[in-house]
Amino acid sequence: MVKERATKLAGIGVIVASTLVAQTRAEYHFAVGPKAGVSVSNPYGSISVKPSPDNRVVVNAVLHSDKVEVDRNQTGNRVDIQSHLLAGADASSGRVDYEVQVPPDASVTLHCSDGTLHAERLHGDVSLEGAAAAVDVHDISDAHVHVKTMNGAVTLSNIQNGHVEVDSLSGDVSLNGVTGPLVQVVSTSGRINYVGDFGNSGEYRLTSHSGDIDASIPEWTSADVSARSVRGEVHDDVPLQPKAHTWFPLDKGRAFAGTVGRVALSSTVILRTFSGKIHLSKRSEKQ
Amino acid sequence: MTCVELQESLAEVEDGTTPEQRAHLRTCPACSALVNDLNLIINAAVGLQEAEEPSPRVWNSIETALKREGLIRPQKRAGSLAHSLFAGWTGRWLAPAAAMLLLSAALLVHNRMQTNTVSEQTAFTVPVPNPSDLNDNDLMQEVAENAPSMQAAYQANLQQVNESIRDAQAVVDESPNDEDARRSLLDAYQQKSMLFELAMDRSLP
């Protein structure tokens, strides 16, 4: 019995050791000017981007085997990083995990298939794309934030003055404190959850074909809201001043439209689903 | 010249100024409206200000697409990007397929907007007999070859997005003047187009 256990442990030890040996770390530095462009493409693995303290792009890569290498190229103010899969590489051996530091004003394009995409504390444009990639973006200001996923979950937090566009087929989308001139989410079957005050003077369009849409707003919100579910239900716990005229039928339980708060400061909020449920609720929160 | 021939000819002369195009447009309000819309878009594009320059993402996408098509080459750096991810890309059909999908959707919605007003427009047909089935088999074959572990996920999402197209289409048919419905239909097509794009990207390894 003891011998069997020792054999198993030794086997596990060999596997762990060989994995650790196979992993290699690499670090690359690039000097760039203001508003640099940084692109990272990584079929397998995660990419995390944070601000650097100076005008340098620093790339830390953990390569999980010798069947993958990191190709990098700098052309002027633009840096391109790509994981280059060699013969025989698969999702495990071809994995690379990146931690990248960029100047906060850099425009960043991240691409992976099934890892995690993460970006934070930047004020340049951020574009993230991946079929099964889970996306997490927070503390971005004055920038475009574009996300495309198939079934990866998307979480955006504290995006201020953003031009936000999220396209996801079946991944759930969560927005917390996301405001800006345009905030748009289009999903086929994913749930959409918005927590925030809809800013002011922006257009917020949350659409899911069959997913539910939940929006939770504080008392001081000013917004011109319309919600409609073709085959599903709509609920609102917010006192709305009903609109005198709408161009779509306000079937009870399937649609509502009205204004909350001060009209002069209001954003336009459009919530649409075909067969999902829409719920607009008010939450108590100190301003 | 038929409506379909006119639409095909617009790829060469998009403003409808050839004698054949003009002759058809005089008798076909639907195609005439389409050409007017195209001209409107062209004129609006000319008037775009520099301040409205697209985000870097757009340029990145264009650059990437051009690299994929072999129209431009990445600058070589000692045997690195020369073997870039794009070298083994086999799904060249997916990009035009995705673009065709969107174009078809736009034409389809445009067509639906017109059908209730002019009876003659029944002749104006979209060159895609069943858009919800467009290239689905090719898409799944591509995924099966390049990303077999993702096959089930793509299949499920493809099915969902096709259902969403059918649902949105039904609402548009029911209420052609419903702006929401038309937008939902376009959204559904765009979601399907995105699925093609993602499959294309997924084939990069």
Side-chain angles (χ1 to χ4, degrees), chain A residues 72 84 127 129 228 272, chain B residues 57 77 83 178 180 201:
Chain A
R72 63 265 180 210
H84 173 198
S127 173
E129 185 173 320
R228 186 183 183 196
R272 295 286 185 272
Chain B
R57 179 172 178 266
R77 183 203 53 75
H83 299 95
D178 189 329
D180 265 351
D201 290 340

Side-chain angles (χ1 to χ4, degrees), chain A:
Chain A
M1 187 72 176
V2 174
K3 193 177 176 183
E4 274 182 21
R5 188 174 295 171
T7 307
K8 281 181 183 173
L9 285 173
I12 293 169
V14 168
I15 292 169
V16 171
S18 61
T19 304
L20 291 175
V21 168
Q23 279 191 0
T24 56
R25 287 180 177 275
E27 184 170 317
Y28 309 103
H29 295 247
F30 306 89
V32 294
K35 298 186 182 298
V38 179
S39 166
V40 184
S41 184
N42 183 30
Y44 305 118
S46 62
I47 308 170
S48 175
V49 179
K50 296 178 181 178
S52 64
D54 50 27
N55 277 339
R56 282 190 311 162
V57 174
V58 181
V59 179
N60 282 289
V62 178
L63 294 80
H64 286 243
S65 83
D66 58 1
K67 290 185 176 175
V68 61
E69 61 186 26
V70 176
D71 292 350
R72 63 265 180 210
N73 183 45
Q74 180 171 17
T75 306
N77 211 22
R78 176 172 181 77
V79 176
D80 291 300
I81 306 293
Q82 290 185 333
S83 297
H84 173 198
L85 301 181
L86 304 176
D90 57 21
S92 176
S93 60
R95 182 183 175 96
V96 182
D97 293 316
Y98 289 96
E99 287 188 4
V100 183
Q101 293 180 46
V102 304
D105 65 350
S107 291
V108 177
T109 302
L110 308 182
H111 179 283
C112 79
S113 291
D114 56 3
T116 303
L117 296 173
H118 173 91
E120 67 178 67
R121 288 178 288 145
L122 303 173
H123 51 85
D125 292 344
V126 178
S127 173
L128 309 99
E129 185 173 320
V135 174
D136 175 31
V137 179
H138 61 86
D139 299 308
I140 304 286
S141 58
D142 310 314
H144 291 246
V145 177
H146 291 179
V147 179
K148 283 186 179 181
T149 73
M150 180 175 68
N151 56 3
V154 179
T155 305
L156 308 184
S157 309
N158 193 26
I159 312 290
Q160 303 296 322
N161 194 30
H163 187 286
V164 179
E165 291 182 52
V166 178
D167 290 284
S168 174
L169 277 111
S170 56
D172 291 344
V173 179
S174 175
L175 311 179
N176 195 336
V178 177
T179 60
L182 175 68
V183 177
Q184 175 175 289
V185 180
V186 179
S187 175
T188 297
S189 61
R191 292 174 61 97
I192 302 172
N193 186 46
Y194 180 92
V195 178
D197 62 7
F198 289 125
N200 56 64
S201 305
E203 180 175 325
Y204 295 73
R205 178 179 286 272
L206 311 180
T207 306
S208 180
H209 180 75
S210 58
D212 295 344
I213 301 172
D214 284 295
S216 176
I217 58 176
E219 292 170 356
W220 65 81
T221 299
S222 292
D224 194 10
V225 184
S226 77
R228 186 183 183 196
S229 178
V230 177
R231 300 275 188 270
E233 303 168 7
V234 300
H235 302 278
D236 70 286
D237 310 330
V238 179
L240 294 171
Q241 291 179 312
K243 295 182 88 70
H245 175 73
T246 60
W247 52 265
F248 58 87
L250 287 176
D251 297 335
K252 189 171 173 57
R254 294 210 190 278
F256 62 79
T259 303
V260 57
R262 290 175 291 178
V263 177
L265 294 175
S266 67
S267 293
T268 300
V269 178
I270 298 165
L271 312 174
R272 295 286 185 272
T273 177
F274 181 82
S275 56
K277 292 178 186 172
I278 296 174
H279 187 198
L280 178 67
S281 61
K282 187 164 69 175
R283 68 179 192 281
S284 296
E285 190 175 297
K286 290 180 181 175
Q287 190 167 12

Side-chain angles (χ1 to χ4, degrees), chain B residues 128-146:
Chain B
V128 180
N130 186 356
S132 65
D133 291 335
L134 185 69
N135 291 321
D136 287 2
N137 292 335
D138 291 337
L139 172 70
M140 290 314 303
Q141 190 177 342
E142 187 75 14
V143 173
E145 287 173 7
N146 294 293

Side-chain angles (χ1 to χ4, degrees), chain B residues 86-107:
Chain B
F86 304 119
W89 185 56
T90 56
R92 290 174 182 276
W93 59 270
L94 282 167
M100 186 63 198
L101 195 62
L102 276 180
L103 179 61
S104 301
L107 287 169

Side-chain angles (χ1 to χ4, degrees), chain B residues 18 33 37 59 62 64 70 84 88-89 111 120 123 133 136 165 167 181 188:
Chain B
T18 69
D37 286 348
W59 302 121
I62 292 170
T64 304
S84 75
W89 185 56
N111 184 32
E120 292 172 338
D133 291 335
D136 287 2
I165 289 173
D167 288 342

